[in-house]
Amino acid sequence: MAWCMLVLCMLLFQFEIVFLWQWKVGQACIAPWSEDGQLYSAVIDAIDADGNSCTVTFPEYGNSDSVSISDLLPAEQPEETAWAVGDSCWVQHEQAKIQAINPDNSTCTLLCAEDEVRTNVPMSRLRRTPQPAAAA
């Protein structure tokens, strides 16, 4: 009887792990890139109908890859996550300034520094502009 309870507990534990974490399109994650096997920050672009694989984009590099769902890891949340109009940021390899933030905080309008083009991008793709080191 005790081993039956143990097996039942193990099955319930596995069931809970599988169904507790559901990935969603647009969600930030950590994913391996197929060309080097290294882990990078990514955003889920699409999840295949079978739910076993997905397409991710690596925002810092601008490339995409197909990845097994089981290889995804939760994204590390930066300490400072709030953005405001006027903040400087990087998107892909371009510096920009936030011009407007949509009410649901999912996208924003950026003014790109190099070409002065306004573009609408997901907030998850923004990266903080490095601050200069303080003078000693």
Side-chain angles (χ1 to χ4, degrees):
M1 178 74 163
W3 71 271
C4 289
M5 291 299 288
L6 179 63
V7 169
L8 180 61
C9 287
M10 289 174 63
L11 288 172
L12 288 173
F13 181 72
Q14 288 177 340
F15 178 81
E16 185 176 333
I17 288 175
V18 169
F19 291 100
L20 216 110
W21 191 266
Q22 294 294 318
W23 295 104
K24 298 178 185 93
V25 171
Q27 187 173 12
C29 63
I30 306 293
W33 186 37
S34 61
E35 291 195 26
D36 66 6
Q38 297 296 311
L39 296 173
Y40 298 95
S41 294
V43 176
I44 299 172
D45 296 323
I47 299 175
D48 293 349
D50 63 8
N52 293 326
S53 60
C54 64
T55 302
V56 298
T57 295
F58 302 99
E60 294 180 29
Y61 304 98
N63 49 2
S64 297
D65 204 354
S66 181
V67 178
S68 171
I69 288 282
S70 63
D71 290 338
L72 298 180
L73 299 171
E76 296 175 16
Q77 295 298 317
E79 289 181 25
E80 187 181 0
T81 58
W83 290 98
V85 172
D87 282 352
S88 293
C89 62
W90 286 87
V91 60
Q92 293 184 346
H93 294 292
E94 196 169 353
Q95 192 169 10
K97 185 172 268 193
I98 298 174
Q99 299 293 302
I101 299 174
N102 289 0
D104 65 354
N105 285 326
S106 65
T107 60
C108 66
T109 302
L110 297 177
L111 179 62
C112 297
E114 288 182 24
D115 52 16
E116 296 188 0
V117 171
R118 290 179 189 261
T119 184
N120 204 24
V121 299
M123 299 292 285
S124 61
R125 296 194 179 207
L126 303 183
R127 297 293 173 253
R128 297 265 173 212
T129 299
Q131 298 299 315

